[in-house]
Amino acid sequence: AVCRAQADWLIGMNGTRAYTTCYFKRLVVGRVQTPTLAMLAERQDKIEHFQKEAFYKVALTDGRLTVVSENIANEEAADLLASLCMDSEAVITQIKREQKKAFPPKLYDLTSLQREANRYFGYTAKKTLDMLQELYEEKLVTYPRTDSQFVTEDMRKTVESLVLALDGQTVDVSCVINNSKVTDHHAILPTMQGAKCNKEKLSESKQKILSLVIWKLVQAVQQPFIYEDVLVTVCCQGQNFTAKYKNILQPGYTAKPVPFAEPEKDKDVPLPKKLEQGTVLPVVRAEKKHGFTSPPK
């Protein structure tokens, strides 16, 4: 706190006065905002002055497996590689597997609920809070103005009963229990009355907010999502080609997608079966692909 106060004095007060008197315009300097603004300005400059460049890739396929080369700057080189590999033999030189685990999301506090209500429905923070407050007064959700995403140990049976009523499953709810992370109020939950109520009698906005709260509880108590990232390397005519695949080992919480949002197109596909390191692909087809580099996001 002392360092912060001194930095504000040295940088904020002095810097603001110095820049304002130097440039005859009120210019505010701050120990946090000035470097943050510099990062944003630098990124904006890169985007505005970005010059796209063409690149080429060569894709190989045997009907099951599709692999691509690194970016090739020269079109003639890409054409040559494609012609060399067309109808030739390729070998899988490496299959690298890495198992990963993603844990289910936490329960809602007020801020995270407002953020997702805006994302899914376009609601402002105020509208979400107003709908929550009305649902709370109707005893359909718990207290809304909370900054915690957990519940306490003494609520274990209550949460288990809620999940059973909502999803028809008995699950271990330990992942949402943490006494040390609950201060004045626990995470936002539906009440048993909210779980069993007839949502058709509510306004559309309140239906959506209540549905969000219910879905988050059901998703938060699911098993982790376990998957395997697979990187396949294929060699053809002395050139390496790669492809990425994803094998789902345990769908976990991803089996409970957002029921009221447009489903996202799944770009991840599993590795075709019976492909191992050393497998020979007797005949592959080759195709040149054309693209352009993109500016920073």
Side-chain angles (χ1 to χ4, degrees):
V2 172
C3 288
R4 204 161 53 232
Q6 291 185 0
D8 281 334
W9 185 284
L10 292 168
I11 299 169
M13 293 178 67
N14 288 293
T16 297
R17 295 178 71 183
Y19 271 74
T20 299
T21 54
C22 183
Y23 294 103
F24 305 103
K25 179 181 179 181
R26 183 173 176 270
L27 293 173
V28 181
V29 175
R31 62 183 169 83
V32 175
Q33 70 176 21
T34 299
T36 304
L37 177 60
M39 292 166 65
L40 293 172
E42 181 183 11
R43 177 57 60 91
Q44 184 67 22
D45 186 63
K46 286 180 179 178
I47 293 170
E48 289 179 352
H49 296 92
F50 177 78
Q51 298 291 326
K52 68 178 181 180
E53 297 176 1
F55 66 86
Y56 304 88
K57 289 187 176 186
V58 175
L60 304 184
T61 181
D62 70 336
R64 293 185 301 161
L65 184 71
T66 300
V67 290
V68 295
S69 68
E70 294 290 327
N71 289 358
I72 302 170
N74 187 280
E75 185 173 9
E76 288 75 19
D79 286 328
L80 176 61
L81 181 60
S83 63
L84 287 172
C85 292
M86 177 64 79
D87 297 328
S88 66
E89 180 182 279
V91 180
I92 298 177
T93 56
Q94 185 183 47
I95 296 182
K96 185 178 179 182
R97 303 172 186 270
E98 185 179 3
Q99 191 174 120
K100 296 184 178 181
K101 181 187 289 189
F103 291 95
K106 298 182 180 69
L107 296 171
Y108 281 134
D109 60 6
L110 177 59
T111 303
S112 58
L113 177 52
Q114 287 171 320
R115 188 181 298 122
E116 292 203 345
N118 177 264
R119 174 186 168 194
Y120 293 125
F121 312 126
Y123 292 173
T124 62
K126 183 179 185 306
K127 180 170 181 176
T128 299
L129 179 56
D130 290 344
M131 295 301 103
L132 266 176
Q133 185 64 33
E134 289 182 26
L135 289 167
Y136 171 64
E137 290 169 3
E138 293 169 23
K139 296 182 171 57
L140 301 180
V141 300
T142 57
Y143 187 74
R145 290 176 176 82
T146 175
D147 60 359
S148 176
Q149 294 183 290
F150 292 90
V151 297
T152 49
E153 179 64 43
D154 61 326
M155 295 180 65
R156 182 181 290 272
K157 289 187 177 179
T158 301
V159 176
E160 288 174 349
S161 301
L162 277 170
V163 175
L164 182 61
L166 293 167
D167 201 38
Q169 296 183 40
T170 302
V171 296
D172 181 10
V173 299
S174 299
C175 57
V176 299
I177 295 174
N178 191 327
N179 288 359
S180 66
K181 294 191 176 180
V182 179
T183 50
D184 297 331
H185 302 281
H186 57 73
I188 300 171
L189 299 173
T191 62
M192 190 59 76
Q193 188 175 328
K196 296 179 178 180
C197 78
N198 181 4
K199 296 187 189 65
E200 300 298 323
K201 293 184 178 180
L202 299 173
S203 69
E204 182 183 358
S205 298
K206 286 196 283 189
Q207 281 184 44
K208 288 179 176 179
I209 295 299
L210 180 58
S211 296
L212 262 183
V213 175
I214 288 172
W215 162 72
K216 184 60 73 173
L217 170 60
V218 171
Q219 193 187 52
V221 296
Q222 301 302 313
Q223 292 294 312
F225 172 43
I226 303 175
Y227 61 96
E228 188 178 57
D229 275 341
V230 185
L231 177 65
V232 181
T233 304
V234 171
C235 184
C236 180
Q237 299 295 332
Q239 178 76 31
N240 283 337
F241 299 78
T242 59
K244 291 181 180 179
Y245 292 90
K246 180 179 283 186
N247 294 332
I248 295 176
L249 307 178
Q250 176 179 286
Y253 71 89
T254 63
K256 303 287 182 181
V258 190
F260 33 77
E262 192 72 27
E264 295 181 3
K265 189 175 181 181
D266 191 4
K267 298 178 182 178
D268 299 314
V269 293
L271 178 69
K273 295 181 179 179
K274 297 181 180 178
L275 289 178
E276 298 296 338
Q277 186 170 322
T279 300
V280 176
L281 312 175
V283 180
V284 293
R285 304 286 296 172
E287 179 187 3
K288 179 186 73 176
K289 294 183 178 291
H290 181 212
F292 292 95
T293 53
S294 301
K297 294 284 186 288

